[in-house]
């Protein structure tokens, strides 16, 4: 199987010392891969572990697991099996059986990798699988990423058979007298992939015999173009921290292919990649270009996108403080979602060392630290009184942050907006002897 040898070599699929888990259902493709890697393991300098996943969807699935186990025992191959309740998994996740089965088995694979049981997982996808996947993705409305199909390497997952045809696999099975089992569900056209495989692709191949190779070459071109655009859409184009991502609105005038990827990368940075469709991307772009400040849209996974002055902020965080006020006293105040305010007494008035210096004797005894309330007013450091709401707007504090920005208040008189400014009423002067030193450490 020269194609497998070249695929491993040209794509650096395997390194000496690797422990490779071979996903093996017992079908022709996975048995071909298991046989090839097990018979060449000494030349490759690797260990092999056969991994069988019983999805418990088919009546004969346990039979297939026993078949793989017997084969491995006969050929001295380490064997691991896992039994999954995929139907229950699909109901809980509200996904199709095809998608749920894939997600469930990949969770097993990733767990084995994270625990160090194996270094990589070898999957038996071949050239026809690749062309069928690409066509299915196109029919679902994919972009360049989906049209690129599967890659030889995807993180810790490798596909040594990707340039090998189904005919070559069948010939290898026959020439080496390798046993296998047939999955009866492969004949069912209820599944989208099987419909493409059994109904659509045979018609295409009858007219264009070289269709699989042509589709795979098309995918390679798409992959190269996609990589170029992905490289342009740098991660520096957005800020992501603690489940919140911010993209400057100036980036939204870029080429659609670039900003679309910036948005997707930004969402991925806060662990959101599923269920984000083209319509959601378009809504975010429309919000950035035409939305008013403070406008928002709802997205899947309880996300909200908000236009905040020169940024689009995407977050799933909603803040409902458990505690609403604190005394003005020495020590640290931990304010959820905001940060830590450290209060200390000082007689050195070096403004550069602290966020704020507040005249100790100008702070009324009833002053507390709290969040803003209706009717609050603020006299700015340089003078001039206005409502706290208008002041925060002038300072371009995003609506999302106005309710979690702590203030020092005496009644409705705001003496400090922490992290922003102190009032003219509590500033130090030539008569100040003692002051509050305020240090803020934001989350």
């Amino acid at each position: 199987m020269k194609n497998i040898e070249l695929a491993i070599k040209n794509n650096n699929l395997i390194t000496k010392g690797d422990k490779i888990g071979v996903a093996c259902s017992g079908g022709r493709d996975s048995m071909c891969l298991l046989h090839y890697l097990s018979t060449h393991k000494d030349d490759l300098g690797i260990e092999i572990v056969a991994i069988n996943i019983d999805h418990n969807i088919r009546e004969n699935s346990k039979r297939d697991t026993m078949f793989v186990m017997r084969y491995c025992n006969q050929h001295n191959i380490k064997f691991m099996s896992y039994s999954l309740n995929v139907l229950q998994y699909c109901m809980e996740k509200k996904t199709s059986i095809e998608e749920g089965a894939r997600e469930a088995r990949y969770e097993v694979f990733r767990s084995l990798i994270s625990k160090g049981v194996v270094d990589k997982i070898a999957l038996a996808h071949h050239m026809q699988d690749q062309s069928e996947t690409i066509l299915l993705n196109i029919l679902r409305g994919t972009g360049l990423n989906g049209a690129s199909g599967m890659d030889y390497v995807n993180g810790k997952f490798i596909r040594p058979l990707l340039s090998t045809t189904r005919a070559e696999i069948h010939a290898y099975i026959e020439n080496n007298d390798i046993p296998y089992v047939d999955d009866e569900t492969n004949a069912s056209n209820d599944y989208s992939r099987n419909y493409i495989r059994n109904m659509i692709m045979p018609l295409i191949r009858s007219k264009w015999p070289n269709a699989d190779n042509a589709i795979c070459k098309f995918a390679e071109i798409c992959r190269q173009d996609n990589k170029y655009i992905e490289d342009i859409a740098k991660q520096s184009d957005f800020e992501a921290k603690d489940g919140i991502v911010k993209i400057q609105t100036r980036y939204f005038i870029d080429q659609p292919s670039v900003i679309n990827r910036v948005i997707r990368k930004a969402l991925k940075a806060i662990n959101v990649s599923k269920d984000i469709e083209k319509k959601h991307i378009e809504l975010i772009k429309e919000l950035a270009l035409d939305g008013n400040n403070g406008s928002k849209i709802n997205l899947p996974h309880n996300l909200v996108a908000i236009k905040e002055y020169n940024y689009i902020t995407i977050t799933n965080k909603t803040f409902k403080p458990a505690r609403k006020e604190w005394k003005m006293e020495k020590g640290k105040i931990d304010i959820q979602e905001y940060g830590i305010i450290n209060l200390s007494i000082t007689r050195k008035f070096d403004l550069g060392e602290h966020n704020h210096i507040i005249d100790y004797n100008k702070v009324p005894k009833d002053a507390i630290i709290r969040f803003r309330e209706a009717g609050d007013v603020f006299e700015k450091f340089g003078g001039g009184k206005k409502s706290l709401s208008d002041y925060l707007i002038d300072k371009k504090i995003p609506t999302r942050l106005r309710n979690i920005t702590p203030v020092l208040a005496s009644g409705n008189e705001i003496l400090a907006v922490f992290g922003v400014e102190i009032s003219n009423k509590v500033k130090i002067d030539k008569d100040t002897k003692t002051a509050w030193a305020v240090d803020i450490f934001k989350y």
Side-chain angles (χ1 to χ4, degrees):
M1 292 283 274
K2 194 68 176 175
N3 283 341
I4 303 180
E5 181 185 340
L6 289 174
I8 292 172
K9 180 180 178 181
N10 294 340
N11 297 282
N12 299 312
L13 301 188
I14 290 173
T15 303
K16 281 192 175 182
D18 279 345
K19 184 179 284 188
I20 307 294
V22 182
C24 187
S25 66
R28 296 190 202 201
D29 306 336
S30 62
M31 290 301 294
C32 168
L33 181 60
L34 181 63
H35 181 275
Y36 182 89
L37 291 178
S38 63
T39 54
H40 290 80
K41 62 184 175 63
D42 293 335
D43 295 334
L44 294 168
I46 59 175
E47 295 181 52
I48 293 295
V49 181
I51 302 170
N52 176 266
I53 307 290
D54 182 357
H55 299 95
N56 285 293
I57 298 173
R58 298 182 294 111
E59 186 178 339
N60 295 325
S61 60
K62 288 182 175 58
R63 175 207 67 181
D64 297 350
T65 296
M66 296 303 295
F67 164 79
V68 178
M69 183 179 70
R70 286 193 297 270
Y71 179 86
C72 290
N73 289 339
Q74 291 167 6
H75 294 84
N76 198 29
I77 299 171
K78 186 175 179 180
F79 172 77
M80 302 178 74
S81 66
Y82 296 86
S83 180
L84 308 178
N85 189 339
V86 166
L87 295 179
Q88 181 179 337
Y89 181 94
C90 292
M91 284 191 292
E92 290 174 355
K93 299 287 185 178
K94 296 180 180 178
T95 186
S96 68
I97 293 177
E98 279 182 282
E99 183 64 22
R102 183 184 183 280
E103 288 178 5
R105 67 175 173 268
Y106 269 75
E107 284 182 10
V108 174
F109 295 151
R110 292 190 184 97
S111 175
L112 292 172
I113 293 169
S114 66
K115 291 176 182 176
V117 177
V118 296
D119 300 310
K120 297 170 184 174
I121 298 289
L123 305 169
H125 298 118
H126 51 70
M127 182 183 288
Q128 275 70 29
D129 288 328
Q130 175 78 306
S131 60
E132 291 159 8
T133 296
I134 293 162
L135 183 58
L136 183 58
N137 288 344
I138 291 171
L139 293 174
R140 285 171 171 167
T142 190
L144 276 180
N145 192 47
S148 300
M150 299 175 283
D151 208 343
Y152 287 94
V153 183
N154 183 8
K156 297 294 184 178
F157 295 89
I158 60 174
R159 297 182 173 89
L161 299 181
L162 205 54
S163 54
T164 302
T165 66
R166 185 178 286 129
E168 289 171 320
I169 290 170
H170 290 185
Y172 182 85
I173 289 284
E174 290 184 15
N175 293 338
N176 291 278
D177 196 24
I178 302 168
Y180 61 88
V181 292
D182 280 320
D183 181 346
E184 62 272 18
T185 62
N186 286 338
S188 171
N189 293 325
D190 292 338
Y191 299 108
S192 299
R193 177 175 291 279
N194 286 354
Y195 187 82
I196 294 287
R197 175 177 297 158
N198 300 330
M199 303 296 291
I200 304 300
M201 289 304 297
L203 291 173
I204 292 175
R205 292 178 188 125
S206 67
K207 179 70 174 177
W208 295 280
N210 198 38
D212 292 291
N213 191 47
I215 292 172
C216 291
K217 285 183 177 178
F218 163 75
E220 180 58 32
I221 294 169
C222 291
R223 191 176 300 115
Q224 293 170 1
D225 290 352
N226 190 52
K227 184 179 184 306
Y228 175 75
I229 301 172
E230 288 281 349
D231 289 344
I232 294 174
K234 302 180 292 297
Q235 189 157 336
S236 58
D237 292 346
F238 59 86
E239 306 167 24
K241 184 180 180 183
D242 298 331
I244 298 173
V245 66
K246 298 173 70 175
I247 310 170
Q248 291 188 40
T249 53
R250 64 186 177 91
Y251 288 120
F252 285 83
I253 62 172
D254 213 329
Q255 289 293 326
S257 58
V258 176
I259 188 57
N260 291 350
R261 284 164 174 79
V262 170
I263 295 170
R264 289 195 178 277
K265 282 188 175 184
L267 290 168
K268 192 173 182 180
I270 55 173
N271 300 315
V272 176
S273 54
K274 275 194 65 178
D275 302 324
I276 299 297
E277 302 173 6
K278 187 176 187 296
K279 64 181 180 182
H280 301 125
I281 300 295
E282 293 303 318
L283 285 171
I284 294 171
K285 288 156 63 175
E286 184 179 331
L287 178 67
L289 296 174
D290 301 322
N292 297 320
N293 181 54
S295 300
K296 61 179 70 174
I297 57 170
N298 294 318
L299 299 169
H301 304 289
N302 296 316
L303 290 175
V304 60
I306 313 166
K307 186 167 186 180
E308 297 180 340
Y309 300 101
N310 297 324
Y311 288 90
I312 289 294
T313 299
I314 305 173
T315 178
N316 58 6
K317 292 198 170 186
T318 55
F319 178 60
K320 294 181 179 178
R323 184 174 176 182
K324 296 185 178 180
E325 62 180 54
W326 297 262
K327 291 180 179 179
M328 186 72 172
E329 57 188 17
K330 287 192 296 183
K332 292 180 179 179
I333 300 172
D334 191 344
I335 300 178
Q336 183 186 0
E337 298 294 330
Y338 176 79
I340 294 174
I341 298 176
N342 186 60
L343 299 172
S344 58
I345 305 296
T346 184
R347 289 180 175 81
K348 296 180 180 179
F349 309 139
D350 187 346
L351 299 178
E353 288 188 6
H354 308 283
N355 292 94
H356 306 301
I357 297 289
I358 297 172
D359 191 307
Y360 184 89
N361 292 313
K362 291 181 181 178
V363 177
K365 299 262 186 224
D366 67 344
I368 57 170
I369 296 171
R370 61 168 172 81
F371 300 109
R372 69 170 180 160
E373 295 177 354
D376 284 345
V377 293
F378 181 66
E379 185 175 327
K380 297 183 293 182
F381 189 84
K385 184 178 287 190
K386 60 170 51 185
S387 72
L388 179 61
S389 179
D390 288 344
Y391 170 78
L392 294 174
I393 292 172
D394 290 346
K395 285 292 184 179
K396 295 189 175 182
I397 305 298
T399 305
R400 173 180 54 88
L401 301 179
R402 292 173 199 165
N403 291 329
I404 63 171
T405 298
V407 297
L408 176 63
S410 173
N412 282 122
E413 186 74 36
I414 302 304
L415 305 173
V417 181
F418 287 103
V420 184
E421 190 175 1
I422 67 170
S423 168
N424 203 56
K425 291 192 172 185
V426 292
K427 68 180 181 182
I428 61 173
D429 55 34
K430 60 183 179 59
D431 297 321
T432 302
K433 299 290 189 287
T434 307
W436 287 105
V438 182
D439 297 293
I440 299 170
F441 308 92
K442 287 192 176 182
Y443 291 139

